[in-house]
Amino acid sequence: MRTTGRQPCVITVASRQRAQFIDITGQIRALLREQPALADGPAITVFVPHTTAGITINENADPDVMADVNNALEKIAPWRAGYRHAEGNSAAHIKAILTGASARIPLENGRLALGTWQGIYFCEFDGPRQRQVLISG
Amino acid sequence: MRTTGRQPCVITVASRQRAQFIDITGQIRALLREQPALADGPAITVFVPHTTAGITINENADPDVMADVNNALEKIAPWRAGYRHAEGNSAAHIKAILTGASARIPLENGRLALGTWQGIYFCEFDGPRQRQVLISG
Amino acid sequence: MRTTGRQPCVITVASRQRAQFIDITGQIRALLREQPALADGPAITVFVPHTTAGITINENADPDVMADVNNALEKIAPWRAGYRHAEGNSAAHIKAILTGASARIPLENGRLALGTWQGIYFCEFDGPRQRQVLISG
């Protein structure tokens, strides 16, 4: 994690599978404790600087939920489906667009105003890879 | 609606059906009139603290549009489709991820800079329920 | 492009096809150079004030990627599929909701903190039309 003046903070994520939802809520909470200027704002922006990964917010309790989400995305964009993109990972790009590259979460007294069952997930769609997530105001 | 210092504002929504798109634009406009500090910013964040509901922005004129949207989401994620999650509402989680938990809308002189045909919708996917929507800077 | 006090900046986009992904990254970079107040913030909001267009962030190198994305969205929402909305463009509304009306991108020393392969795309789903994109803090 780093921040200097007018730069976003960066957290790193190591994915282990081709498609994987990684709960980064704890890393973001730790960042807010370390960065009072960030925690002082009305909300934070969570952004992935990648084109085959996304950010989503959903259930943090039963891992079967994200398994079902993964299956639903796989049905929309199967890995092999006659895509034109020669690199072969168009399914990952499609899933990244459907989940989105950014999310914004309000803060309540410097802490994430998430619902009881919400976690912030880094969505890997073309792993395993070393990835970054940017956090800003 | 409430706000105190460094807290998001909260509006409440009561859904009446399992899947329902509820136009909350009027409630958000009223909030902006009551909260000058919020209206003074460049944009607002609209956030659902739930995992089976979403926020979207779309046509506010012909209700058939949102009926067609609802049918399209139902095709992507039918209520029963052999999901693993035992609670039985994985379709709602999938739809919530596709619509997204947050939206951000620019302000123009303290008012929502929405297009002529745009409304802000709370998307219920597992109702009927009492729900909250958080509004922050 | 314009901005006056508490108004978002506006860029215009002319689409040429019914469905088209138009890279507006260069226009947004130019805007940031012209608007120091905007470039001074922690992030920008990019918003479409239309209901049959969206904003997404994805690969800016191989145009086949966005062609594959277009085909995938067309499979989810074919132009003709027995929709109720009499205007006949429900497919465009559905695609607009799936891509989303807003994105937020962190700034690094006043410049877009995009990844190497990321571009910001205006997503036309019911063109050709003259369109606007709003940029705010």
Side-chain angles (χ1 to χ4, degrees), chain B:
Chain B
M1 299 176 196
R2 66 171 164 79
T3 188
T4 320
R6 297 166 61 217
Q7 295 198 326
C9 300
V10 182
I11 62 178
T12 57
V13 179
S15 62
R16 306 279 175 210
Q17 300 161 235
R18 180 186 283 169
Q20 186 180 5
F21 295 90
I22 300 171
D23 189 336
I24 57 173
T25 317
Q27 280 174 278
I28 294 173
R29 288 206 171 103
L31 183 67
L32 283 168
R33 287 190 297 266
E34 293 169 14
Q35 303 283 350
L38 190 65
D40 199 41
I44 60 164
T45 299
V46 181
F47 180 83
V48 285
H50 306 289
T51 59
T52 54
I55 290 289
T56 200
I57 296 170
N58 212 264
E59 160 120 12
N60 61 5
D62 177 3
D64 279 350
V65 170
M66 297 315 283
D68 286 333
V69 169
N70 187 43
N71 288 340
L73 291 173
E74 187 68 23
K75 270 200 290 181
I76 295 172
W79 190 258
R80 300 207 178 285
Y83 299 112
R84 291 164 57 163
H85 180 46
E87 197 181 340
N89 61 354
S90 276
H93 290 282
I94 294 162
K95 293 173 180 177
I97 285 173
L98 293 176
T99 50
S102 67
R104 189 152 167 92
I105 302 117
L107 297 179
E108 182 157 354
N109 299 316
R111 290 189 295 270
L112 296 170
L114 291 171
T116 311
W117 307 107
Q118 284 184 316
I120 304 168
Y121 284 92
F122 175 84
C123 311
E124 175 63 79
F125 296 123
D126 191 23
R129 293 192 195 218
Q130 287 292 121
R131 300 289 207 173
Q132 295 192 325
V133 178
L134 309 186
I135 319 285
S136 72

Side-chain angles (χ1 to χ4, degrees), chain A residues 34 48 53 82 93 103 120:
Chain A
E34 293 168 15
V48 284
H93 290 282
I120 304 167

Side-chain angles (χ1 to χ4, degrees), chain A residues 51-54 72-79 81-85 89-100 125, chain B residues 98, chain C residues 21 56-59 64-76 98-99:
Chain A
T51 59
T52 54
L73 291 173
E74 187 67 23
K75 270 199 291 182
I76 294 173
W79 190 257
Y83 300 113
R84 292 163 57 163
H85 179 45
N89 62 353
S90 276
H93 290 282
I94 294 162
K95 293 172 181 178
I97 285 173
L98 293 175
T99 49
F125 296 124
Chain B
L98 293 176
Chain C
F21 296 90
T56 200
I57 295 169
N58 213 264
E59 160 120 12
D64 279 350
V65 170
M66 297 315 282
D68 286 333
V69 169
N70 188 42
N71 288 339
L73 291 173
E74 188 68 22
K75 270 199 292 182
I76 294 173
L98 293 176
T99 49

Side-chain angles (χ1 to χ4, degrees), chain A residues 7 13 18 23 26 30 37 41 44 51 60 63 77 90-91 97 112 122 128 133:
Chain A
Q7 294 197 327
V13 179
R18 179 186 283 169
D23 189 335
I44 60 164
T51 59
N60 61 5
S90 276
I97 285 173
L112 296 170
F122 174 85
V133 178

Side-chain angles (χ1 to χ4, degrees), chain A residues 84-135:
Chain A
R84 292 163 57 163
H85 179 45
E87 197 182 340
N89 62 353
S90 276
H93 290 282
I94 294 162
K95 293 172 181 178
I97 285 173
L98 293 175
T99 49
S102 67
R104 190 154 166 89
I105 302 116
L107 297 179
E108 181 157 353
N109 298 317
R111 289 189 295 269
L112 296 170
L114 291 171
T116 310
W117 307 107
Q118 283 183 317
I120 304 167
Y121 284 93
F122 174 85
C123 311
E124 175 63 79
F125 296 124
D126 191 23
R129 293 191 196 220
Q130 286 291 120
R131 300 288 208 174
Q132 293 192 326
V133 178
L134 309 186
I135 320 283

